[in-house]
PDB file of all heavy atoms in Angstrom:
ATOM      1  N   LEU L 258      12.740 -17.813 -26.171  1.00  0.00           N
ATOM      2  CA  LEU L 258      12.829 -19.209 -26.598  1.00  0.00           C
ATOM      3  C   LEU L 258      12.635 -20.130 -25.409  1.00  0.00           C
ATOM      4  O   LEU L 258      11.921 -21.128 -25.485  1.00  0.00           O
ATOM      5  CB  LEU L 258      14.189 -19.482 -27.251  1.00  0.00           C
ATOM      6  CG  LEU L 258      14.372 -18.960 -28.669  1.00  0.00           C
ATOM      7  CD1 LEU L 258      15.795 -19.181 -29.131  1.00  0.00           C
ATOM      8  CD2 LEU L 258      13.405 -19.640 -29.615  1.00  0.00           C
ATOM      9  N   GLU L 259      13.255 -19.769 -24.296  1.00  0.00           N
ATOM     10  CA  GLU L 259      13.121 -20.618 -23.114  1.00  0.00           C
ATOM     11  C   GLU L 259      11.675 -20.656 -22.632  1.00  0.00           C
ATOM     12  O   GLU L 259      11.182 -21.698 -22.202  1.00  0.00           O
ATOM     13  CB  GLU L 259      14.053 -20.142 -22.012  1.00  0.00           C
ATOM     14  CG  GLU L 259      15.423 -20.746 -22.165  1.00  0.00           C
ATOM     15  CD  GLU L 259      16.431 -20.185 -21.190  1.00  0.00           C
ATOM     16  OE1 GLU L 259      16.033 -19.421 -20.297  1.00  0.00           O
ATOM     17  OE2 GLU L 259      17.619 -20.511 -21.336  1.00  0.00           O
ATOM     18  N   THR L 260      11.010 -19.504 -22.719  1.00  0.00           N
ATOM     19  CA  THR L 260       9.599 -19.504 -22.349  1.00  0.00           C
ATOM     20  C   THR L 260       8.834 -20.486 -23.219  1.00  0.00           C
ATOM     21  O   THR L 260       7.991 -21.252 -22.736  1.00  0.00           O
ATOM     22  CB  THR L 260       9.005 -18.094 -22.531  1.00  0.00           C
ATOM     23  OG1 THR L 260       9.896 -17.161 -21.966  1.00  0.00           O
ATOM     24  CG2 THR L 260       7.658 -17.995 -21.895  1.00  0.00           C
ATOM     25  N   ILE L 261       9.138 -20.472 -24.519  1.00  0.00           N
ATOM     26  CA  ILE L 261       8.425 -21.371 -25.420  1.00  0.00           C
ATOM     27  C   ILE L 261       8.812 -22.821 -25.135  1.00  0.00           C
ATOM     28  O   ILE L 261       7.962 -23.708 -25.157  1.00  0.00           O
ATOM     29  CB  ILE L 261       8.709 -20.989 -26.886  1.00  0.00           C
ATOM     30  CG1 ILE L 261       8.277 -19.546 -27.124  1.00  0.00           C
ATOM     31  CG2 ILE L 261       7.979 -21.908 -27.826  1.00  0.00           C
ATOM     32  CD1 ILE L 261       8.742 -18.976 -28.437  1.00  0.00           C
ATOM     33  N   VAL L 262      10.091 -23.048 -24.853  1.00  0.00           N
ATOM     34  CA  VAL L 262      10.521 -24.404 -24.507  1.00  0.00           C
ATOM     35  C   VAL L 262       9.696 -24.922 -23.341  1.00  0.00           C
ATOM     36  O   VAL L 262       9.154 -26.025 -23.372  1.00  0.00           O
ATOM     37  CB  VAL L 262      12.019 -24.418 -24.116  1.00  0.00           C
ATOM     38  CG1 VAL L 262      12.364 -25.727 -23.429  1.00  0.00           C
ATOM     39  CG2 VAL L 262      12.888 -24.222 -25.314  1.00  0.00           C
ATOM     40  N   VAL L 263       9.609 -24.087 -22.311  1.00  0.00           N
ATOM     41  CA  VAL L 263       8.892 -24.520 -21.118  1.00  0.00           C
ATOM     42  C   VAL L 263       7.422 -24.754 -21.431  1.00  0.00           C
ATOM     43  O   VAL L 263       6.820 -25.723 -20.969  1.00  0.00           O
ATOM     44  CB  VAL L 263       9.073 -23.472 -20.009  1.00  0.00           C
ATOM     45  CG1 VAL L 263       8.141 -23.761 -18.862  1.00  0.00           C
ATOM     46  CG2 VAL L 263      10.502 -23.472 -19.536  1.00  0.00           C
ATOM     47  N   ALA L 264       6.855 -23.889 -22.265  1.00  0.00           N
ATOM     48  CA  ALA L 264       5.450 -24.071 -22.629  1.00  0.00           C
ATOM     49  C   ALA L 264       5.253 -25.387 -23.380  1.00  0.00           C
ATOM     50  O   ALA L 264       4.322 -26.146 -23.100  1.00  0.00           O
ATOM     51  CB  ALA L 264       4.978 -22.895 -23.478  1.00  0.00           C
ATOM     52  N   THR L 265       6.145 -25.681 -24.329  1.00  0.00           N
ATOM     53  CA  THR L 265       5.994 -26.931 -25.085  1.00  0.00           C
ATOM     54  C   THR L 265       6.219 -28.130 -24.168  1.00  0.00           C
ATOM     55  O   THR L 265       5.528 -29.142 -24.295  1.00  0.00           O
ATOM     56  CB  THR L 265       6.989 -26.995 -26.249  1.00  0.00           C
ATOM     57  OG1 THR L 265       8.295 -26.796 -25.734  1.00  0.00           O
ATOM     58  CG2 THR L 265       6.683 -25.985 -27.304  1.00  0.00           C
ATOM     59  N   LEU L 266       7.164 -28.006 -23.250  1.00  0.00           N
ATOM     60  CA  LEU L 266       7.423 -29.129 -22.346  1.00  0.00           C
ATOM     61  C   LEU L 266       6.225 -29.386 -21.443  1.00  0.00           C
ATOM     62  O   LEU L 266       5.814 -30.532 -21.262  1.00  0.00           O
ATOM     63  CB  LEU L 266       8.648 -28.829 -21.477  1.00  0.00           C
ATOM     64  CG  LEU L 266       9.997 -29.221 -22.059  1.00  0.00           C
ATOM     65  CD1 LEU L 266      11.082 -28.902 -21.065  1.00  0.00           C
ATOM     66  CD2 LEU L 266      10.002 -30.691 -22.398  1.00  0.00           C
ATOM     67  N   ALA L 267       5.664 -28.304 -20.892  1.00  0.00           N
ATOM     68  CA  ALA L 267       4.493 -28.477 -20.036  1.00  0.00           C
ATOM     69  C   ALA L 267       3.366 -29.114 -20.836  1.00  0.00           C
ATOM     70  O   ALA L 267       2.656 -29.990 -20.347  1.00  0.00           O
ATOM     71  CB  ALA L 267       4.056 -27.134 -19.470  1.00  0.00           C
ATOM     72  N   THR L 268       3.218 -28.678 -22.089  1.00  0.00           N
ATOM     73  CA  THR L 268       2.192 -29.261 -22.945  1.00  0.00           C
ATOM     74  C   THR L 268       2.453 -30.738 -23.159  1.00  0.00           C
ATOM     75  O   THR L 268       1.562 -31.577 -23.026  1.00  0.00           O
ATOM     76  CB  THR L 268       2.193 -28.549 -24.309  1.00  0.00           C
ATOM     77  OG1 THR L 268       2.113 -27.159 -24.079  1.00  0.00           O
ATOM     78  CG2 THR L 268       1.047 -28.999 -25.159  1.00  0.00           C
ATOM     79  N   THR L 269       3.695 -31.063 -23.500  1.00  0.00           N
ATOM     80  CA  THR L 269       4.028 -32.440 -23.854  1.00  0.00           C
ATOM     81  C   THR L 269       3.911 -33.368 -22.654  1.00  0.00           C
ATOM     82  O   THR L 269       3.391 -34.472 -22.761  1.00  0.00           O
ATOM     83  CB  THR L 269       5.469 -32.489 -24.391  1.00  0.00           C
ATOM     84  OG1 THR L 269       5.617 -31.476 -25.363  1.00  0.00           O
ATOM     85  CG2 THR L 269       5.763 -33.835 -24.998  1.00  0.00           C
ATOM     86  N   LEU L 270       4.397 -32.914 -21.519  1.00  0.00           N
ATOM     87  CA  LEU L 270       4.455 -33.817 -20.375  1.00  0.00           C
ATOM     88  C   LEU L 270       3.143 -33.881 -19.608  1.00  0.00           C
ATOM     89  O   LEU L 270       2.823 -34.913 -19.014  1.00  0.00           O
ATOM     90  CB  LEU L 270       5.580 -33.382 -19.425  1.00  0.00           C
ATOM     91  CG  LEU L 270       6.998 -33.532 -19.968  1.00  0.00           C
ATOM     92  CD1 LEU L 270       7.986 -32.879 -19.038  1.00  0.00           C
ATOM     93  CD2 LEU L 270       7.338 -34.998 -20.155  1.00  0.00           C
ATOM     94  N   PHE L 271       2.410 -32.794 -19.595  1.00  0.00           N
ATOM     95  CA  PHE L 271       1.257 -32.769 -18.705  1.00  0.00           C
ATOM     96  C   PHE L 271      -0.077 -32.527 -19.408  1.00  0.00           C
ATOM     97  O   PHE L 271      -1.121 -32.762 -18.837  1.00  0.00           O
ATOM     98  CB  PHE L 271       1.453 -31.689 -17.635  1.00  0.00           C
ATOM     99  CG  PHE L 271       2.599 -31.970 -16.723  1.00  0.00           C
ATOM    100  CD1 PHE L 271       3.834 -31.406 -16.930  1.00  0.00           C
ATOM    101  CD2 PHE L 271       2.441 -32.842 -15.661  1.00  0.00           C
ATOM    102  CE1 PHE L 271       4.896 -31.684 -16.098  1.00  0.00           C
ATOM    103  CE2 PHE L 271       3.498 -33.121 -14.817  1.00  0.00           C
ATOM    104  CZ  PHE L 271       4.724 -32.551 -15.040  1.00  0.00           C
TER     105      PHE L 271
END
Side-chain angles (χ1 to χ4, degrees):
Chain L
L258 284 174
E259 274 173 7
T260 314
I261 301 169
V262 166
V263 169
T265 54
L266 272 182
T268 308
T269 311
L270 293 171
F271 295 97

